Amino acid sequence: MTETASTPTAAAAQLAATADRVVALGVKLGRDREEVLDPPRLNLASGVPVDVVRALLGGRQAGEPDLQERFKQRLRLLHETHLHETGRKYSHGEIAARSGFSRQQIQALFAGDRRPTMQHCAMLEKFFRRPAGFLQSEDIDALTTALVAIEKSLLQEYSERGTPANPPSAPGAPSIYARHGVDGIALRAALMPDKGRRRLLEWMDDYLAENPVEGDAGAAGGPS
């Protein structure tokens, strides 16, 4: 049964919220929406076709292929883009040998003549160095996963630039937030509205003051 276009789903809401966070963070880094939500880049990262990426980011439903067709589509994308160190595509025989299946199985999977199992997906994802679920996740979930990875990368970049209240650490040194195990919270604060960010940072300042660790300015010395 297909959902109607007028009925928003939890997955669609999650995708929209993640995309909004990525765009907001891109603005802070001087990048526009088209750059941080580039459909061809998202196609490679998620396996979702470019036209479907555009539709989903625009809040439109684009239909969903069945599991076997989706698997075949993404497997072919990986075969075209994940190349041997010499620049050529891997042969079916090489993929079979390195993923633990017979050549006949791999050929049948590429042709769509065999329905993939969980083991097929797991071993092929490992061979192509893609995250678990890449070959079978529904388009909207695969796209959200790709956006979360982009968000994490942008958050890290934003953190490394530093701010007047949180200057960048010396190269290779963990930040004060990382030393306290709250770096993830600090990164998220960058995307919050001013009022919420101020309240969160005030709480973090109190937490850091009450729980000094080695490396903090004014932290207690070693054991007596």
Side-chain angles (χ1 to χ4, degrees):
M1 181 177 177
T2 304
E3 293 180 275
T4 61
S6 60
T7 305
T9 65
Q14 183 179 14
L15 173 64
T18 306
D20 287 345
R21 294 197 307 269
V22 169
V23 171
L25 187 53
V27 169
K28 292 178 180 293
L29 293 168
R31 300 173 192 171
D32 58 26
R33 178 185 177 88
E34 288 69 28
E35 183 177 355
V36 295
L37 298 183
D38 178 51
R41 178 187 176 192
L42 289 170
N43 162 243
L44 294 176
S46 67
V48 179
V50 171
D51 59 330
V52 177
V53 170
R54 291 195 174 101
L56 292 174
L57 290 177
R60 304 185 304 277
Q61 294 194 14
E64 185 75 42
D66 66 25
L67 174 62
Q68 189 166 352
E69 180 60 30
R70 183 165 62 237
F71 172 89
K72 183 176 70 172
Q73 181 184 85
R74 294 183 188 172
L75 181 60
R76 288 178 174 176
L77 174 67
L78 292 177
H79 191 219
E80 293 290 333
T81 58
H82 184 85
L83 304 178
H84 188 274
E85 60 185 11
T86 61
R88 62 172 176 80
K89 292 190 290 187
Y90 285 95
S91 69
H92 288 176
E94 288 173 319
I95 297 173
R98 299 190 189 190
S99 58
F101 303 115
S102 70
R103 182 172 180 174
Q104 289 73 22
Q105 281 182 294
I106 294 298
Q107 289 175 330
L109 289 169
F110 269 96
D113 296 333
R114 178 166 185 153
R115 192 166 184 81
T117 64
M118 294 293 288
Q119 184 181 17
H120 287 138
C121 294
M123 297 305 292
L124 288 168
E125 286 162 354
K126 182 178 180 181
F127 170 75
F128 286 113
R129 298 196 294 275
R130 302 307 299 158
F134 181 91
L135 289 168
Q136 55 189 324
S137 297
E138 292 187 1
D139 286 343
I140 196 165
D141 295 326
L143 184 55
T144 299
T145 298
L147 286 174
V148 167
I150 292 173
E151 179 187 19
K152 182 177 180 181
S153 175
L154 293 176
L155 283 168
Q156 185 62 39
E157 181 181 344
Y158 186 82
S159 174
E160 289 173 354
R161 286 192 179 189
T163 64
N166 178 32
S169 304
S175 70
I176 184 173
Y177 296 135
R179 292 197 301 273
H180 283 266
V182 294
D183 48 329
I185 299 174
L187 292 175
R188 287 285 185 182
L191 298 180
M192 296 178 66
D194 289 343
K195 183 177 180 180
R197 180 171 60 250
R198 184 170 61 253
R199 292 177 64 183
L200 177 57
L201 292 177
E202 286 173 354
W203 173 85
M204 291 181 67
D205 285 344
D206 290 340
Y207 177 84
L208 299 182
E210 294 171 3
N211 300 274
V213 298
E214 183 179 355
D216 289 352
S224 57

